[in-house]
Amino acid sequence: MKQIFLMLSLLVAASVPAVSQQASEASKAPKGPVTFAELLEEAGMEYEIPAGFEEVPVEYNEVLPYQYRVRSTDGTVEIRYTIFPLDRVEIDYDDPHSSAPEPDHLFTLLFPGILTEISGWGHYKSKDYPAGEALRLFRADWAAVAVMKVIPEYSPDYHQALVVAMHRNGSADAYQIFLGNDLKHLGVVAARVEASLRFKE
């Protein structure tokens, strides 16, 4: 699972504008870098910056690269977006006891992998959205939410995270990572703006 997660992380980094020579050399994928708008199109998704938020520059993060981020105008919440279009996924899998997972099944490995990475193998709580709610909010075949404390290497300024994950078969996996220092406030904000990123009809 670790190898799968590392490969996918590199593919995410490949779609972020180069921010270091090391990141650029380590993240070569079959398809070159794209803008966030192009990535959304490739993933079959749509996005609108939530009210009360503004775009801030992407900075390379070795724990979990991301392609776009916004921050609330009062500075209390940051949202990072990580998207994996399935046609960009290359699976580096060498377990002799089982076959490589299909791209449409990777979210069952990737979601807990992301949570353990950004929490530093700490504790987290997660639950799936009911299928009807995932479809209504995100037009997704599956969605889930998790809460945890994050390690400083992932976020030195914000210590709590609420992660919203979504998957649509044949399209993409996407992650919205809400960062702040008040978990209750993060929940209120996420409930208001989480549907700003969703799959197209």
Side-chain angles (χ1 to χ4, degrees):
M1 203 289 294
K2 182 72 171 178
Q3 288 184 343
I4 291 176
F5 180 75
L6 289 175
M7 175 60 70
L8 291 173
S9 292
L10 291 177
L11 291 173
V12 173
S15 61
V16 179
V19 293
S20 73
Q21 185 66 27
Q22 180 181 3
S24 177
E25 291 177 354
S27 60
K28 293 177 181 174
K31 297 186 179 183
V34 295
T35 66
F36 185 61
E38 290 170 334
L39 190 66
L40 289 170
E41 184 65 27
E42 189 177 324
M45 305 191 78
E46 58 189 20
Y47 173 73
E48 183 176 353
I49 293 180
F53 283 79
E54 56 190 12
E55 180 182 355
V56 290
V58 168
E59 297 176 352
Y60 178 72
N61 186 276
E62 64 181 9
V63 177
L64 180 67
Y66 59 96
Q67 299 106 348
Y68 192 74
R69 69 172 173 165
V70 298
R71 188 175 293 144
S72 61
T73 53
D74 65 5
T76 61
V77 177
E78 178 174 300
I79 312 172
R80 298 181 186 178
Y81 299 91
T82 298
I83 299 176
F84 298 110
L86 296 186
D87 65 359
R88 281 183 174 259
V89 172
E90 287 186 347
I91 302 174
D92 183 11
Y93 192 82
D94 62 0
D95 186 345
H97 303 293
S98 61
S99 58
E102 294 293 326
D104 269 323
H105 300 152
L106 278 178
F107 67 87
T108 61
L109 299 173
L110 191 55
F111 182 50
I114 284 176
L115 301 182
T116 55
E117 288 289 324
I118 67 175
S119 68
W121 297 90
H123 298 288
Y124 62 83
K125 296 180 180 180
S126 67
K127 66 176 182 178
D128 290 0
Y129 286 79
E133 191 76 351
L135 184 62
R136 182 184 68 83
L137 286 171
F138 312 115
R139 303 187 185 112
D141 293 310
W142 168 88
V145 62
V147 294
M148 75 215 69
K149 291 183 179 180
V150 296
I151 56 175
E153 292 82 358
Y154 181 66
S155 174
D157 300 318
Y158 302 105
H159 311 301
Q160 301 284 345
L162 185 152
V163 181
V164 176
M166 64 193 81
H167 168 85
R168 179 189 270 182
N169 293 334
S171 295
D173 295 328
Y175 298 84
Q176 302 180 78
I177 302 175
F178 294 79
L179 297 167
N181 292 315
D182 182 333
L183 197 54
K184 184 176 180 180
H185 180 58
L186 282 180
V188 171
V189 173
R192 178 174 65 85
V193 308
E194 63 184 348
S196 297
L197 177 69
R198 62 196 309 199
F199 290 98
K200 295 179 179 179
E201 289 189 86

